[in-house]
Amino acid sequence: MSGYSRSTTLRGHLRARLLRLAGAVSVGIFADGTYGAGWNSVGATTYLGKAGQGVTGLLHGDVTQFFTQLGGATLICVYAFALTFVVFKS
C-alpha cells in the first residue's frame, strides 16, 4: 500500500471525473465558431446567419450546443452507473 487512505483516493477519483465532465460541457460554453463548420450539417451553408460559421457555445449566442454537451455528459454518467450496477450487482 502506498500510504493513501481510501477516502483520499476516492476523492481524487471523483475530482478527476468531475473535471472530465466539466471539460466536456465547457465546449458548449466556450466554442466560438472557429471549428466545426460543415460537421453534422452545421454551418455548411449558413449557421446563425453567417456562412461558414462553426459550432458556437453559450457565450457566443447559441444555447443548443451547451444543452447538447450537457446531455452527452449526463448520458455518460447514466450509462457508467447502469453498467457498473449491472456488473457488480451479482
Side-chain angles (χ1 to χ4, degrees):
M1 198 78 183
S2 62
Y4 292 109
S5 69
R6 279 195 121 155
S7 64
T8 303
T9 57
L10 178 62
R11 276 184 272 152
H13 287 294
L14 290 176
R15 185 179 307 129
R17 288 199 170 99
L18 285 175
L19 288 173
R20 288 180 192 133
L21 289 174
V25 173
S26 68
V27 172
I29 297 171
F30 298 111
D32 63 354
T34 305
Y35 301 102
W39 296 349
N40 297 326
S41 300
V42 172
T45 55
T46 60
Y47 181 64
L48 295 177
K50 292 183 181 178
Q53 175 77 24
V55 176
T56 56
L58 192 62
L59 295 179
H60 296 279
D62 187 17
V63 297
T64 316
Q65 186 66 31
F66 173 71
F67 285 121
T68 302
Q69 295 291 127
L70 190 63
T74 303
L75 183 64
I76 289 170
C77 291
V78 169
Y79 176 77
F81 176 78
L83 190 64
T84 304
F85 182 78
V86 167
V87 167
F88 288 110
K89 184 175 186 222
S90 58

